[in-house]
Amino acid sequence: MTDIPVRVRPEIAALPPYKQGKQAGADAFKLSSNENPFDPLPGVSEAVAAASAFNRYPDATAGLLRARLAERFGVGDDEVHVGAGSVSILAQLVLATCTPGDEVIFAWRSFEAYPWLAVLAGANPVMVPLAEGARHDLDAMADAITDRTRVVIVCTPNNPTGPIVTQAEFDAFLARVPDDLLVVLDEAYAEFVTDPDAVDGVRHFAQPNVVVLRTFSKAFGLAGLRVGYAIGHPRVLDAARSTTIPLSVTAHAETAALASLDHEDELIERVRIVGERRDRLAAGLRDLGWDIPQAQGNFVWLATGEQTTDVAEAFDTGGLIVRAFAGDGIRISVGEEESVEKVLGIAASVVKDLPEGHPARRLA
Ligand SMILES: *Cc1c(COP(=O)(O)O)cnc(C)c1O
């Protein structure tokens, strides 16, 4: 690799250049980004098309959407912050809390953006290994807190492995966390959760050191428009707002989110369909001999370990674009109905090639 021609922070220079997941060919199913397989709802597309003032800047605070979300969740407008995707809000929170040498704790493996967001802020990522069942180990995460810790991120359901954190686990965890330490509850897949024991961010809106992150990208199907939100203490959100690149939430994203909330019933019906498909996919994989962790998002996880690249290639050859994490596992999004049989077909043949006793295989 050639050297960077200008002086760059060494930790930034050390990052691998960003590589987006593969784009799907015409007849392939793209199951690599946890996107919603449905086309936008008619009312949503129309509302966006009607909001055509491209020559005007948007409202910097997305005030209408904030007010609408505040009403929906029974909080004040200033307890809601809208960003260009919830990842950008997470970046703001890390920037607002961390100085170089501070620590950001999260589970690993979890969302790929977490280590990178810590590094961007000059902070040290502290990655706490997942426990049995690819679940968060909240005790170990609490143990990892030091006086340099500024943020703990809890991802539930965990991307890419799928299990939820329970309400009881989260409550016990919060009881161990210092009052002035920010806990971010990343609930990007909250709408897909069916486990009644799962933590619900709504119960923590009044807790001053907890910020709940949700997004319109997954269940609401607006990934391409970039809009997500945080609910938390107004002064914590003010700190995040101070680090925001102004005007990054477009009027079209705001309009689409508002229109989606108008059509929430139809969207929830689609979420139910995706959830049912997910359960069928997970059950089918287990029947084939795969050991699948609890799947509560819109994706399933195959712990393929050393065989990851080979297995991913088999899916790729079969016309399925999946997300492979080399040496670790494969995340497959729940996509179109026809993709389910295709996933199961390929999964049936590759499971036989895994060595006896492989962790991705169920014990007979
Ligand atoms: C997809 C995702 C997000 C949200 O992404 P945005 O499109 O930026 O809203 C946040 N956290 C996790 C764990 C995700 O998987």
Side-chain angles (χ1 to χ4, degrees), residues 85-87 111 114 155 159 186 188-189 215 217-218 226:
S86 61
V87 174
F111 189 31
Y114 297 158
C155 183
N159 174 12
D186 186 344
Y189 302 94
T215 179
S217 294
K218 307 287 163 54
R226 315 303 306 122

Side-chain angles (χ1 to χ4, degrees), residues 38 41 70 84 87 208 218 239 253 261 330 351:
F38 293 104
L41 286 168
V87 174
K218 307 287 163 54
L261 291 169
I330 294 174
V351 74

Side-chain angles (χ1 to χ4, degrees), residues 90 93-95 97-99 101-107 113-115 117-119 121-128 141 144 146 148-153 181-182 184:
L90 186 57
L93 288 165
V94 174
L95 276 175
T97 51
C98 292
T99 53
D102 286 338
E103 293 162 359
V104 179
I105 296 177
F106 48 88
Y114 297 158
L117 292 176
V119 169
N124 297 328
V126 176
M127 299 149 97
V128 177
M141 290 173 73
T146 72
R148 293 307 303 262
T149 308
R150 293 294 174 272
V151 189
V152 184
I153 308 169
L181 173 58
L182 173 63
V184 176

Side-chain angles (χ1 to χ4, degrees), residues 86-98 103-107 110-111 114 117 136 138 141 145 149-158 165 170 173-174 177-178 180-188 199-201 204-205 207-214 229-233 236-237 240:
S86 61
V87 174
S88 71
I89 301 177
L90 186 57
Q92 293 160 13
L93 288 165
V94 174
L95 276 175
T97 51
C98 292
E103 293 162 359
V104 179
I105 296 177
F106 48 88
S110 187
F111 189 31
Y114 297 158
L117 292 176
H136 273 55
L138 286 176
M141 290 173 73
I145 294 170
T149 308
R150 293 294 174 272
V151 189
V152 184
I153 308 169
V154 175
C155 183
T156 175
N158 188 47
V165 164
F170 193 66
F173 170 73
L174 284 183
V177 169
D180 61 353
L181 173 58
L182 173 63
V183 176
V184 176
L185 190 63
D186 186 344
E187 294 191 305
V199 62
D200 185 353
H204 297 280
F205 287 165
Q207 195 136 358
N209 65 324
V210 176
V211 170
V212 176
L213 290 183
R214 294 203 177 167
Y229 58 97
I231 297 182
H233 190 281
V236 176
L237 298 185

Side-chain angles (χ1 to χ4, degrees), residues 135 138 156 163-171 187 193-201 203-204 294 296:
R135 303 168 47 80
L138 286 176
T156 175
I164 49 104
V165 164
T166 68
Q167 186 66 54
E169 286 168 336
F170 193 66
D171 290 340
E187 294 191 305
V193 171
T194 50
D195 184 337
D197 294 333
V199 62
D200 185 353
R203 296 211 181 107
H204 297 280
Q294 182 190 33
Q296 284 280 292

Side-chain angles (χ1 to χ4, degrees), residues 16-99:
Y18 182 75
K19 248 179 62 201
Q20 186 160 30
K22 271 193 218 164
Q23 299 298 316
D27 53 354
F29 289 105
K30 182 168 181 273
L31 307 176
S32 53
S33 299
N34 293 349
E35 294 151 339
N36 193 313
F38 293 104
D39 288 333
L41 286 168
V44 175
S45 302
E46 279 154 22
V48 174
S52 59
F54 293 159
N55 55 322
R56 303 291 177 198
Y57 280 116
D59 165 15
T61 72
L64 292 175
L65 179 55
R66 265 192 318 128
R68 182 66 179 277
L69 289 167
E71 187 195 312
R72 164 119 173 33
F73 290 109
V75 298
D77 290 17
D78 58 352
E79 293 171 88
V80 182
H81 172 44
V82 173
S86 61
V87 174
S88 71
I89 301 177
L90 186 57
Q92 293 160 13
L93 288 165
V94 174
L95 276 175
T97 51
C98 292
T99 53

